[in-house]
Amino acid sequence: MEPRLVGPGPYRATRLWNEIIELFRAGMPLRKHRCRFKSYERCFKASEAVDCLHELLGSNQNFGPEVTRDQTVKLLKKFLKNHVIEDIKGRWGKEDFEDDGHLYRFPPSSPLKSYPKKPSCGKEVIKFPDWNEPKAGPSQEDIPVKSVTMNSEMWYKRHSIAIGEVPACKLVFRRELTQTNIEEIWKSMTLSRLQKVLGLDSLDEVLDTKLVNSKHIVHNVYNVNKQGIVTLEDKSKELPHWILSAMKCLANWPSCSDLKQPTYSGFERDVFKTIADYFAQMKEPLLTFHFFDIFVSVLGLLQKPNKAVEALQISCLLLPPENRKRLQLLVRMMARISLNQDLPPLSESVRTRTLMVQVFSRCILCSKDEIDLDELLAAKLVSFLMDNYQDILSVPSALKSSIEDHVVHLQRVQFQKSYPEVYRVRFPNPETEAMLFPEKTKQKPPILMWALKKPFQPFHRTRSFRM
């Protein structure tokens, strides 16, 4: 069975789970083994399973070569818990799998997960607001009308001029764009672009659009400093100063501007542990539980880097500003540490880049409900973030320009509807310009009689002029 790329879309984590199980069952060699003077057919050692699955994951384009052996063991623990495998005595349900010589086998029943039933609703259409709709309030029919007692004279005056039946008059509402309207435009157009980049018919099964805050999008676009980092109005949501100092120390090593130079061996490891402990205690990942499915969907585009970068750019705009700022600072620090040749190793057994991914993946992306592949998916996403963080965590200029142009167009249209005469003067088109500024008819100069005569001849003095 050949591995295939699992693209964006709903239930991507479930599809990947089933894909890996099928590949593992098809590729795992089964042999006869002996244990305690007894032979067992069609089974395998735990260490053999780790070797096979690790190689399978590393060569699979959905995961890649950065999958570690330790992550492979953790996945096999989940396989044992979910009865993908069992020991030779038929026991399963616990995560007590170890990288050793214990014997395991595949159960006869299929362990594949079923997909949730799709809702009966059709494709989701992202609706753009209609600014001519009246604001919420009492309808015209609910407006109280004062009763009038009519005498015969008033009745005669009112009905003597009535010809036929007079249609009921309705109020015409016309509103200018408010800040709330502009924020909703940003939300609608941002989600529409994200849906197009992902190539989905609907975002409904990967994102609850009601949880997308339009104010967060606008804030993340316009409230940034010179380095492109989000600025926060509420300073209580900023990272503590001591954490920022520690992050700057490692990111700029050996130039630690906020801290004194280290005076003992292993100082940099203590600083790193302080940062890791702080982010590990967060109750929710930086990409939030709500947006887990949309970021997992984006992973299906990693074979098309430009599309993946754009999809992540847009997805990160949906984050709360404080989450986006922390993500920007953390990923930038991780990338700089990984490339810093002057920084001493932070681990004896793991490369610095691999350590960054292992330590911070879960605080960046994880599911609220335990997902069997969330650790591998998070590692894949974080690796791509580190390699492309400058582009991904910047504001997408093309999207920003298109939305701003659309807002300006709507504002001009609303102005034109409300003040048509003023609009014609301020924004004339070729037709209205001709009406406002008619060209003056040029009068032809009168034809002089001398122009019809022969060309001017030079004056010759004759004798009659002599004295």
Side-chain angles (χ1 to χ4, degrees):
M1 179 180 177
E2 292 295 327
R4 62 180 182 273
L5 178 66
V6 179
Y11 320 123
R12 186 173 187 269
T14 302
R15 288 185 287 149
L16 283 170
W17 172 265
N18 292 342
E19 166 92 357
I20 291 300
I21 290 175
E22 291 177 346
L23 291 172
F24 181 52
R25 288 178 69 98
M28 180 68 216
L30 303 178
R31 295 194 300 271
K32 180 179 178 180
H33 289 82
R34 292 183 61 84
C35 179
R36 296 180 180 179
F37 307 106
K38 188 176 181 180
S39 298
Y40 296 91
E41 301 288 343
R42 298 181 59 80
C43 59
F44 50 86
K45 292 182 179 180
S47 57
E48 295 173 344
V50 177
D51 293 337
C52 176
L53 185 58
H54 186 221
E55 182 180 355
L56 186 152
L57 293 172
S59 60
N60 190 302
Q61 53 189 337
N62 294 297
F63 299 98
E66 292 193 347
V67 176
T68 64
R69 191 174 182 88
D70 182 61
Q71 290 173 331
T72 306
V73 172
K74 290 180 180 179
L75 180 56
L76 283 164
K77 289 178 181 287
K78 294 181 179 181
F79 279 4
L80 181 60
K81 181 180 179 180
N82 289 275
H83 204 196
V84 177
I85 58 176
E86 62 185 19
D87 69 11
I88 52 175
K89 294 184 179 180
R91 293 174 297 192
W92 60 278
K94 295 182 179 180
E95 294 190 11
D96 54 358
F97 182 95
E98 299 295 338
D99 190 356
D100 54 23
H102 281 75
L103 297 180
Y104 293 89
R105 67 190 180 192
F106 291 116
S109 60
S110 173
L112 300 181
K113 292 185 177 181
S114 59
Y115 299 102
K117 293 183 178 180
K118 294 184 178 180
S120 58
C121 58
K123 295 180 181 180
E124 176 193 15
V125 178
I126 299 177
K127 181 182 177 183
F128 288 85
D130 183 2
W131 314 125
N132 290 324
E133 292 178 356
K135 294 181 180 179
S139 63
Q140 192 172 351
E141 290 78 6
D142 297 333
I143 299 176
V145 179
K146 186 178 180 181
S147 60
V148 178
T149 305
M150 300 182 64
N151 53 30
S152 59
E153 183 177 357
M154 293 176 63
W155 187 93
Y156 175 78
K157 287 181 178 180
R158 174 169 294 186
H159 291 276
S160 62
I161 59 174
I163 302 175
E165 197 168 317
V166 180
C169 297
K170 289 190 176 181
L171 298 177
V172 177
F173 293 89
R174 182 172 292 147
R175 296 187 285 123
E176 294 185 359
L177 292 181
T178 64
Q179 180 61 26
T180 302
N181 299 149
I182 295 174
E183 290 170 356
E184 287 302 314
I185 293 173
W186 268 94
K187 176 180 175 178
S188 299
M189 294 188 67
T190 300
L191 294 180
S192 179
R193 180 59 188 170
L194 179 59
Q195 179 177 321
K196 183 176 181 180
V197 174
L198 291 176
L200 301 177
D201 295 330
S202 170
L203 291 176
D204 190 40
E205 293 174 336
V206 296
L207 175 66
D208 186 352
T209 56
K210 295 179 181 178
L211 299 177
V212 177
N213 191 326
S214 57
K215 293 183 181 296
H216 291 170
I217 301 175
V218 176
H219 185 104
N220 290 333
V221 170
Y222 291 106
N223 294 272
V224 295
N225 60 19
K226 294 180 179 180
Q227 289 76 35
I229 305 296
V230 175
T231 58
L232 304 179
E233 297 176 357
D234 187 355
K235 301 304 179 183
S236 65
K237 296 181 178 180
E238 297 276 5
L239 282 172
H241 177 72
W242 54 276
I243 284 292
L244 282 174
S245 298
M247 294 173 70
K248 289 179 181 178
C249 175
L250 292 186
N252 301 318
W253 187 276
S255 302
C256 301
S257 57
D258 290 354
L259 297 175
K260 294 181 180 179
Q261 291 295 326
T263 56
Y264 63 89
S265 177
F267 171 81
E268 65 284 345
R269 295 189 182 186
D270 289 344
V271 174
F272 178 73
K273 186 177 184 304
T274 299
I275 300 170
D277 290 343
Y278 175 82
F279 282 97
Q281 53 83 35
M282 293 192 310
K283 296 181 180 180
E284 186 174 16
L286 294 177
L287 299 184
T288 75
F289 292 135
H290 297 312
F291 298 144
F292 175 81
D293 289 332
I294 195 69
F295 282 103
V296 170
S297 249
V298 174
L299 287 174
L301 292 175
L302 294 191
Q303 299 302 313
K304 303 175 181 177
N306 292 336
K307 280 189 172 293
V309 167
E310 183 180 2
L312 286 173
Q313 272 186 331
I314 299 173
S315 300
C316 289
L317 284 181
L318 311 182
L319 298 173
E322 59 271 20
N323 287 46
R324 180 177 171 87
K325 181 170 186 176
R326 294 185 178 203
L327 181 68
Q328 289 174 317
L329 296 174
L330 177 60
V331 176
R332 185 177 67 174
M333 180 205 74
M334 294 166 61
R336 289 184 177 180
I337 289 177
S338 300
L339 298 174
N340 192 344
Q341 300 294 330
D342 297 326
L343 182 66
L346 298 175
S347 172
E348 297 293 342
S349 58
V350 182
R351 293 189 303 114
T352 301
R353 177 185 171 86
T354 304
L355 181 67
M356 296 297 108
V357 175
Q358 288 181 351
V359 170
F360 294 111
S361 288
R362 190 164 183 82
C363 73
I364 292 177
L365 178 70
C366 70
S367 174
K368 186 175 183 180
D369 302 319
E370 183 180 358
I371 302 295
D372 296 311
L373 292 177
D374 58 354
E375 185 174 346
L376 291 177
L377 297 174
K380 185 74 172 176
L381 179 67
V382 171
S383 296
F384 190 77
L385 271 174
M386 290 173 60
D387 293 336
N388 303 274
Y389 77 96
Q390 290 181 326
D391 294 327
I392 292 174
L393 297 177
S394 63
V395 177
S397 56
L399 177 67
K400 181 173 179 285
S401 298
S402 64
I403 297 178
E404 288 176 342
D405 292 343
H406 184 68
V407 170
V408 170
H409 169 72
L410 288 178
Q411 289 173 330
R412 180 172 292 186
V413 169
Q414 291 295 326
F415 184 81
Q416 181 182 12
K417 290 180 179 179
S418 302
Y419 310 101
E421 296 300 327
V422 178
Y423 181 87
R424 286 202 308 168
V425 176
R426 291 187 59 183
F427 307 103
N429 55 36
E431 296 178 359
T432 58
E433 189 174 3
M435 296 173 59
L436 293 171
F437 309 107
E439 293 185 2
K440 295 182 179 180
T441 55
K442 296 182 180 180
Q443 296 181 354
K444 295 182 179 181
I447 300 177
L448 301 179
M449 293 301 296
W450 60 267
L452 299 176
K453 295 181 180 180
K454 295 180 179 181
F456 178 76
Q457 300 293 332
F459 177 76
H460 297 283
R461 181 175 293 181
T462 61
R463 292 181 180 179
S464 58
F465 285 89
R466 294 180 182 177
M467 295 298 296

